[in-house]
Amino acid sequence: MSTPNGFEVALIVFLLVCVLLGTTPVFNTAFQFLVLPLHAFKNHYRRAAPYTPNIAVVVPAWNEGLVIGASIDRLLTLEYPHDRLRIYVVDDASTDSTPDVVLGKAAEHPGRVVHLRREQGGEGKAHTLNHGLSRVLADPWTEAVLIMDADVIFARDSLRKMSRHLADERVGAVTAYIAEGSHDRNYLTRFIGMEYVLAQLASRRTQNVLGAIACLAGGAQLHARANLEAIGGRIPTGTLAEDTMTTFEGQLRGRRMVFEPHAVVLAEEPRTVDALWKQRLRWARGNVQLTSIYRKVWFRPSRLHRLGSLSFGLSWFSILLLPVWLLLASAALFALLLLHSGIAEAVFRFMWILAACTYLFSMLYAVQLDGRTGRRSWREALLFPGLGAMILMAIALFPRFSDALLTDWLGALTPEDRFVYASILYLWGPISMLGAWAARWVERLPGGRFVAGLCIYVFGYGSLLCAITVDSYIKEWRRADASWVKTEKVGRVVS
């Protein structure tokens, strides 16, 4: 290969910078897991104390007849003073058995269970919650408000572990660890279980250390009365991410948000790719909307909050722009292949060795954070990035062995064969996203659920989330219908 001229050198340097930028999510993950152990020393437990304020539980419910009864029963048996806990179920014009179930519980437990009916429903979760908040905040008895989903099941000691943080007046809200709790798990719920370990037990511990929480879990968020009053006594409407917007608004007013990893709340999660897609599309579109709404917050440090810190901004945009980083790295690497294959090969190895080390370290750490999920989902933990990505890691780590194996399998390769082979490796990022995207459509065909599952194992659960994020970009750009789409729950959680 001829010596590059000045222009080619400049182009190579530019492409190397693009590859480096494209690996931002990997560096962010490595940083998150390096900071994570500091949670043992820097946390909020020193300021927590036994504290049991009067808590009004607000439960939005639309056609939750299959699950609302069990949720109320579990709330009534929590390790919390009975005279300091009241449950308000906001019935969003349900057309199933929800009103009958709730009224039955209210009759059994007068004063402790209250049925609030909205005759005009379908406006979204935030509007339903606001109907309940207007009622509970009008009562001076209320000192804190627990906002939860109708299907979740709280561990008996979870609320007590959350409320202790409100003993510190600086704390505005506390969120719990939402764990996948379906009794009839399949491959997808096991992937979700591992995702929640990574996104909550790991990432939110790191956020505790760094002083800024991205989102209070919608299924379990305990607010001090003062925090809700500071943001107007209402959950912000107008976005698809009301939980995240509420989290931001509290912090922007100087309140601290705390993640309590030992408060466990079990939730029912989607069992099909299509159902997961609809749920996560709503979340992703909401985050795109909030990125624009808070554009004056990003990377602008403030003494009042940590949302403008460099670490929080990098974490936010590493996730929000994950498909962009993936495409940037792949495109730059492929361009390097066309320009200088030797450099491209070295960069490819660097990228995937870095990814392999980060993956191994993060997964080995994560499965220990929740041993129960780790034991049940060890295959999904192993194949979280996909079988294809694991093969690429092996090729990067053991290039001579993989090259010899390929030669034994296919025989002597021509330069054209090697170019095609390298192209597939270097463009695996976008290929995996397309494969994961196809899983949603394949699932609808006869026998498609098995094939869809195979696609996720091959192309990676992370690639599926990337594909959904790309869809959110498209939907927001086209200003597609943003009406609330409820995730169907049928009572599969085991207590």
Side-chain angles (χ1 to χ4, degrees):
M1 183 173 290
S2 59
T3 304
N5 56 39
F7 173 76
E8 289 176 335
V9 170
L11 184 56
I12 289 172
V13 171
F14 171 74
L15 292 173
L16 289 174
V17 171
C18 289
V19 171
L20 189 63
L21 286 173
T23 56
T24 297
V26 178
F27 284 109
N28 176 67
T29 301
F31 171 73
Q32 296 273 329
F33 275 87
L34 289 174
V35 171
L36 178 57
L38 297 180
H39 191 261
F41 309 99
K42 186 177 180 182
N43 52 58
H44 188 257
Y45 294 117
R46 293 180 183 85
R47 293 183 176 272
Y51 182 55
T52 54
N54 295 333
I55 296 178
V57 184
V58 179
V59 189
W62 178 73
N63 288 354
E64 304 281 7
L66 294 174
V67 297
I68 190 65
S71 295
I72 293 174
D73 288 340
R74 175 47 67 99
L75 288 171
L76 292 170
T77 60
L78 292 179
E79 295 174 0
Y80 201 84
H82 290 180
D83 60 336
R84 297 184 182 181
L85 188 68
R86 297 177 184 173
I87 303 165
Y88 295 82
V89 179
V90 187
D91 175 8
D92 195 38
S94 297
T95 57
D96 69 346
S97 62
T98 297
D100 297 331
V101 174
V102 178
L103 287 170
K105 296 296 181 182
E108 291 177 30
H109 308 278
R112 296 197 64 201
V113 179
V114 180
H115 176 251
L116 301 178
R117 175 76 176 181
R118 292 188 75 207
E119 295 303 330
Q120 180 180 351
E123 295 179 298
K125 182 179 177 180
H127 289 278
T128 307
L129 286 172
N130 287 333
H131 183 82
L133 289 176
S134 64
R135 170 71 176 270
V136 302
L137 293 178
D139 187 346
W141 177 89
T142 302
E143 296 174 330
V145 177
L146 174 66
I147 294 174
M148 59 173 280
D149 289 338
D151 66 295
V152 300
I153 298 294
F154 279 69
R156 288 177 58 84
D157 61 354
S158 54
L159 185 57
R160 177 170 50 83
K161 289 180 176 178
M162 294 172 72
S163 67
R164 60 183 170 175
H165 294 283
L166 295 184
D168 180 359
E169 294 183 354
R170 300 179 306 165
V171 173
V174 185
T175 189
Y177 166 42
I178 305 292
E180 207 293 318
S182 303
H183 65 81
D184 55 344
R185 295 174 181 85
N186 68 353
Y187 80 93
L188 195 58
T189 60
R190 291 194 297 270
F191 269 122
I192 294 170
M194 277 310 306
E195 177 199 0
Y196 283 0
V197 172
L198 294 167
Q200 294 184 64
L201 283 183
S203 291
R204 285 181 182 162
R205 271 188 169 102
T206 300
Q207 290 170 13
N208 273 348
V209 173
L210 298 176
I213 296 290
C215 182
L216 298 167
Q221 46 183 272
L222 178 64
H223 293 265
R225 181 188 183 104
N227 185 62
L228 290 172
E229 291 178 338
I231 63 174
R234 296 174 60 81
I235 300 299
T237 58
T239 76
L240 291 172
E242 76 289 334
D243 302 328
T244 307
M245 193 168 185
T246 303
T247 310
F248 275 41
E249 289 297 314
Q251 290 174 102
L252 289 172
R253 287 161 177 79
R255 297 271 175 180
R256 180 171 181 177
M257 305 292 138
V258 175
F259 169 61
E260 173 49 80
H262 302 293
V264 180
V265 178
L266 301 178
E268 177 182 338
E269 299 300 336
R271 289 174 55 83
T272 66
V273 174
D274 187 63
L276 178 69
W277 194 290
K278 291 175 182 177
Q279 179 196 65
R280 300 310 175 84
L281 180 62
R282 169 163 49 86
W283 296 2
R285 290 189 65 182
N287 288 339
V288 172
Q289 293 165 1
L290 293 187
T291 302
S292 176
I293 291 171
Y294 294 106
R295 56 187 175 276
K296 293 184 179 180
V297 172
W298 307 116
F299 303 109
R300 289 176 172 83
S302 169
R303 294 182 179 179
L304 195 61
H305 60 82
R306 295 283 297 166
L307 294 177
S309 65
L310 177 64
S311 59
F312 185 79
L314 287 176
S315 176
W316 179 272
F317 285 99
S318 291
I319 297 171
L320 181 79
L321 299 178
L322 185 57
V324 176
W325 302 126
L326 194 64
L327 292 171
L328 179 65
S330 296
L333 194 58
F334 183 70
L336 277 174
L337 174 64
L338 297 175
L339 197 63
H340 197 296
S341 60
I343 294 177
E345 183 178 355
V347 173
F348 166 81
R349 289 196 62 204
F350 165 78
M351 283 177 54
W352 283 98
I353 290 175
L354 176 66
C357 293
T358 302
Y359 155 72
L360 289 172
F361 176 68
S362 60
M363 280 300 174
L364 287 173
Y365 202 128
V367 295
Q368 297 178 69
L369 294 176
D370 184 346
R372 184 181 182 185
T373 297
R375 289 189 297 273
R376 291 175 172 176
S377 305
W378 63 269
R379 288 182 298 271
E380 288 68 33
L382 184 66
L383 293 171
F384 199 86
L387 180 61
M390 293 189 67
I391 292 173
L392 265 66
M393 293 177 196
I395 291 172
L397 288 166
F398 311 104
R400 293 184 179 178
F401 175 77
S402 58
D403 193 58
L405 192 65
L406 185 67
T407 302
D408 290 342
W409 185 29
L410 298 177
L413 300 179
T414 65
E416 291 77 12
D417 294 333
R418 289 192 174 277
F419 176 80
V420 172
Y421 170 66
S423 297
I424 294 172
L425 298 183
Y426 296 176
L427 294 174
W428 180 252
I431 291 172
S432 66
M433 277 197 290
L434 289 173
W437 197 311
R440 184 189 185 191
W441 306 106
V442 170
E443 187 180 58
R444 302 172 183 177
L445 303 174
R449 288 198 177 185
F450 172 79
V451 179
L454 189 62
C455 286
I456 303 305
Y457 279 114
V458 171
F459 297 111
Y461 182 79
S463 295
L464 175 64
L465 298 181
C466 280
I468 295 171
T469 302
V470 171
D471 195 20
S472 75
Y473 300 160
I474 297 170
K475 293 290 193 302
E476 281 301 297
W477 175 66
R478 295 176 59 187
R479 298 184 182 276
D481 176 47
S483 58
W484 184 272
V485 179
K486 178 181 177 293
T487 303
E488 184 180 1
K489 306 294 176 68
V490 296
R492 294 186 289 105
V493 175
V494 290
S495 58

